[in-house]
Amino acid sequence: MAEYRISIIDNHPLLLEGMAALVRRKPGLALSAMGSTVGHIRSIAADHRPDAMILDFNMPGDAFRALLEVLSGWPAMKVLVFTASTDTNLAIALLDAGVSGFVLKSSSTDELCTAIDAIRRDEVFISPSFAARIIGALKHKPVNTRPAPMPNFSAREHQIVRLLSSGKRNREIASALSLSERTVKGYMTLLMQKLHARNRLEAVIAVQGLSQAAALRGDIENDTLSGPFG
């Protein structure tokens, strides 16, 4: 398997060197480039075309605009935000914009490695300690007033939706429901098709919107989409 090329951008020299050392010693990864400014976000994307970029969003300059340019210009490139910020609105905005992960700097080295492995598999990763807060913030986002049809979920799909919305990953969902991880991945594919979602975050947002809209119409009863949304 070809090495997965990663670029790192952070304006804290010690942390930048620490992450670079981590990438260098992790099998299957290669350090593509390093940077320390918002300008490096664009230039590294253009000059090095890494498979993934790990960056701290809290740098002087318009990092959000630079990030949008990268996501638009190089859609195959994964972006993992590695930051000390616990602003849920910012996290949701970044995830909605298309970043593949949001990891807090208070996380362990193992968690950062897990996040890298997840985005390499085209999955979205959010620090588990922060995921519940993001889900909570999504609950309070305004609901589109346009009526939305409720997809026809099976009983098993309802179970998976609840676990997904609580921040569980495929392996954890499989364990909770005594299924194989491969089976859960199959269900996830079907759920995303029904919800017209491109990734896990969009699926959670879509379910949240459907749940609230249906509740406003009064057509959710008892067990339909309770749990995290009830």
Side-chain angles (χ1 to χ4, degrees):
M1 182 182 294
E3 289 186 316
Y4 196 66
R5 298 175 302 110
I6 292 181
S7 293
I8 307 169
I9 302 172
D10 196 298
N11 63 341
H12 296 89
L14 288 176
L15 192 55
L16 183 63
E17 289 296 337
M19 287 192 292
L22 173 67
V23 169
R24 289 190 185 104
R25 69 172 181 262
K26 184 172 170 58
L29 301 184
L31 183 63
S32 174
M34 296 166 60
S36 59
T37 69
V38 167
H40 288 148
I41 297 176
R42 302 182 185 89
S43 62
I44 287 176
D47 296 341
H48 296 273
R49 308 277 180 103
D51 297 306
M53 184 179 290
I54 302 175
L55 61 88
D56 184 354
F57 197 76
N58 295 320
M59 294 185 289
D62 193 346
F64 192 78
R65 181 174 180 178
L67 185 58
L68 290 179
E69 291 176 6
V70 167
L71 292 170
S72 174
W74 296 273
M77 189 182 303
K78 306 297 183 183
V79 176
L80 177 65
V81 175
F82 187 55
T83 181
S85 173
T86 55
D87 184 334
T88 55
N89 290 328
L90 173 62
I92 291 171
L94 290 169
L95 290 161
D96 282 348
V99 306
S100 297
F102 195 96
V103 180
L104 299 180
K105 285 187 174 179
S106 58
S107 304
S108 66
T109 300
D110 287 344
E111 185 172 309
L112 180 57
C113 289
T114 299
I116 294 171
D117 291 339
I119 66 172
R120 191 174 184 179
R121 296 192 301 267
D122 293 326
E123 296 178 0
V124 174
F125 183 93
I126 304 171
S127 287
S129 62
F130 192 47
R133 288 182 56 186
I134 292 179
I135 298 301
L138 289 172
K139 282 185 172 184
H140 297 97
K141 289 186 72 174
V143 180
N144 190 334
T145 56
R146 182 178 62 184
M150 179 67 71
N152 183 25
F153 292 139
S154 68
R156 179 66 81 187
E157 287 170 339
H158 278 305
Q159 293 175 323
I160 292 174
V161 161
R162 292 193 193 92
L163 293 168
L164 170 68
S165 65
S166 65
K168 300 295 185 184
R169 290 170 289 190
N170 286 354
R171 183 177 302 173
E172 294 168 316
I173 293 173
S175 176
L177 299 179
S178 298
L179 299 172
S180 70
E181 193 171 350
R182 182 175 180 179
T183 298
V184 171
K185 288 181 179 179
Y187 275 114
M188 285 299 305
T189 298
L190 292 174
L191 282 170
M192 288 182 185
Q193 290 174 352
K194 289 184 178 183
L195 294 166
H196 305 289
R198 294 170 297 179
N199 53 50
R200 296 171 73 88
L201 179 73
E202 287 190 1
V204 171
I205 294 172
V207 169
Q208 173 63 30
L210 288 170
S211 176
Q212 291 184 355
L216 289 174
R217 293 196 304 264
D219 57 10
I220 288 185
E221 296 180 0
N222 299 326
D223 195 42
T224 305
L225 272 180
S226 56
F229 305 115

